[in-house]
Amino acid sequence: DAGVIQSPRHEVTEMGQEVTLRCKPISGHDYLFWYRQTMMRGLELLIYFNNNVPIDDSGMPEDRFSAKMPNASFSTLKIQPSEPRDSAVYFCASTLGAGFTDTQYFGPGTRLTVL
Amino acid sequence: QQPVQSPQAVILREGEDAVINCSSSKALYSVHWYRQKHGEAPVFLMILLKGGEQKGHEKISASFNEKKQQSSLYLTASQLSYSGTYFCGSLSGSNYKLTFGKGTLLTVNP
């Protein structure tokens, strides 16, 4: 299997622009997670989906952030408008189930820089 | 609530041992350990379930102390390839949300 795929790997944009990050989970995995990683706050869960349905979005920082999962093989995280404080590495992860022993597999991440 | 990892950083010489601790103020159902190398994604190491079990992966093992709500990661006879940041993720309830600690930076020098 190719693993979790994310694009782009790097994104540099200017404040106020819209940014869309993309993720393809491992085939057959029912759960998809979006994380943000910064030096200050570490690895934070933003939102997760089960069978394409958002289950918990309590980690989404504000209304500028939105996430969708139109089908089992694709998800997007959108920031509109972007701000410099959104600069971070955004990871997508997927897992087969939601048991206590289910492993989350991370994608390579998207490094976002907002100028 | 975010689990607390200690130490924040550790420097070893090749062949030395290290212990990384992960503590939670909430009851833990399981603890997941990951290693992340600079500029890369976190990579899964192992999962510990409540019950005090120990697990091992090559020369890396871990334990789960339910009474203390703490997990410890043991790195024995460290190798250069062990360098990276180690994260613990805790699962505390029925909602499947891994909450990660801030990480422990491990540097192994020749």
Side-chain angles (χ1 to χ4, degrees):
Chain A
D1 202 318
V4 177
I5 298 172
Q6 290 187 247
S7 65
R9 294 293 308 276
H10 301 272
E11 177 81 36
V12 180
T13 190
E14 294 191 344
M15 183 173 65
Q17 296 298 305
E18 177 180 296
V19 175
T20 299
L21 312 181
R22 297 171 177 80
C23 174
K24 176 179 167 53
I26 293 173
S27 177
H29 280 192
D30 290 334
Y31 287 79
L32 183 140
F33 305 81
W34 282 101
Y35 290 91
R36 177 173 67 177
Q37 186 175 41
T38 61
M39 288 295 292
M40 288 294 295
R41 300 172 71 92
L43 201 56
E44 303 175 277
L45 177 65
L46 300 177
I47 184 171
Y48 80 93
F49 295 83
N50 174 216
N51 290 327
N52 315 336
V53 176
I55 301 301
D56 190 325
D57 65 355
S58 59
M60 296 285 261
E62 47 198 277
D63 291 345
R64 297 185 296 107
F65 286 69
S66 62
K68 293 182 180 180
M69 192 163 185
N71 57 62
S73 59
F74 183 66
S75 177
T76 60
L77 178 68
K78 187 177 293 187
I79 308 172
Q80 164 66 15
S82 58
E83 296 183 2
R85 59 192 168 119
D86 300 332
S87 297
V89 180
Y90 291 82
F91 288 104
C92 174
S94 70
T95 183
L96 191 60
F100 296 124
T101 58
D102 282 293
T103 301
Q104 291 193 21
Y105 296 91
F106 283 77
T110 296
R111 182 173 294 276
L112 174 65
T113 303
V114 183
L115 303 174
Chain B
Q1 268 179 321
Q2 194 174 38
V4 177
Q5 287 187 235
S6 63
Q8 290 185 328
V10 59
I11 299 174
L12 302 173
R13 291 218 176 269
E14 209 172 355
E16 292 181 338
D17 302 340
V19 180
I20 299 171
N21 296 309
C22 173
S23 299
S24 174
S25 58
K26 296 177 69 173
L28 293 173
Y29 286 80
S30 66
V31 176
H32 301 221
W33 285 97
Y34 286 80
R35 177 173 61 207
Q36 184 179 29
K37 293 189 179 283
H38 183 68
E40 299 181 8
V43 173
F44 170 76
L45 291 175
M46 64 188 77
I47 294 175
L48 283 298
L49 296 178
K50 70 175 181 178
E53 70 171 274
Q54 283 192 271
K55 278 200 161 186
H57 174 72
E58 297 178 344
K59 291 182 180 177
I60 300 174
S61 61
S63 64
F64 187 161
N65 187 320
E66 193 176 345
K67 279 188 178 179
K68 292 184 178 180
Q69 296 303 314
Q70 176 178 293
S71 178
S72 297
L73 189 71
Y74 306 94
L75 299 103
T76 306
S78 58
Q79 306 169 15
L80 296 176
S81 61
Y82 285 3
S83 292
T85 301
Y86 289 78
F87 293 95
C88 67
S90 62
L91 271 179
S92 301
S94 58
N95 195 348
Y96 187 68
K97 290 170 61 173
L98 265 184
T99 303
F100 287 94
K102 289 201 168 179
T104 296
L105 177 61
L106 179 77
T107 304
V108 181
N109 293 321

